[in-house]
Amino acid sequence: QVQLVESGGGTAQVGESLILSCTHSGNILGIRSWNWYRQGAGRQRELVATLSSRGAANYTNSVKGRFAISHDNEQDTLFLYTNNLKPEDTAVYTCHLHTWYGDYWGMGTQVTVSS
């Protein structure tokens, strides 16, 4: 059974950085992409960053140049490096694994950016 567990959220000041982690376990087959989503209070869930099985990264416009997604195969961990944080980045961040055989979600980690 595949499990995803996020960590690294918390409170940051404007301009600061946080590193979000998503550690996974279980037998994973047919990976299509790793993704980070976020959902702020009263807002729709938003796809923030995608890492394809070929290693191509894509970002939503609002985080381009500030966030970076990567995966460490040795640590079985997906990362989201969040830099120069803004109040509008405040949200619950959730990692997502998209495979040919199904989709898996973590429980999310809260990021709060205060000015």
Side-chain angles (χ1 to χ4, degrees):
Q1 182 178 0
V2 176
Q3 291 188 321
L4 309 178
V5 180
E6 300 96 336
S7 61
T11 301
Q13 299 293 315
V14 169
E16 292 185 341
S17 302
L18 289 172
I19 301 174
L20 307 185
S21 302
C22 174
T23 301
H24 55 87
S25 59
N27 188 25
I28 298 176
L29 300 174
I31 295 174
R32 300 187 67 182
S33 67
W34 288 99
N35 308 288
W36 283 98
Y37 285 82
R38 69 183 179 186
Q39 186 167 20
R43 305 179 71 175
Q44 289 188 332
R45 187 171 62 193
E46 173 188 30
L47 177 59
V48 176
T50 295
L51 184 65
S52 76
S53 60
R54 297 183 179 182
N58 285 285
Y59 304 91
T60 190
N61 285 338
S62 63
V63 307
K64 283 182 180 177
R66 300 190 298 122
F67 289 12
I69 186 172
S70 68
H71 185 269
D72 187 316
N73 293 332
E74 291 188 1
Q75 298 185 50
D76 287 341
T77 301
L78 177 72
F79 293 98
L80 184 68
Y81 298 89
T82 68
N83 302 301
N84 190 20
L85 284 164
K86 303 177 180 181
E88 53 264 40
D89 295 320
T90 296
V92 175
Y93 287 72
T94 304
C95 66
H96 168 251
L97 170 62
H98 180 46
T99 78
W100 288 100
Y101 308 105
D103 291 83
Y104 305 91
W105 296 88
M107 295 298 293
T109 186
Q110 175 72 45
V111 171
T112 302
V113 184
S114 59
S115 56

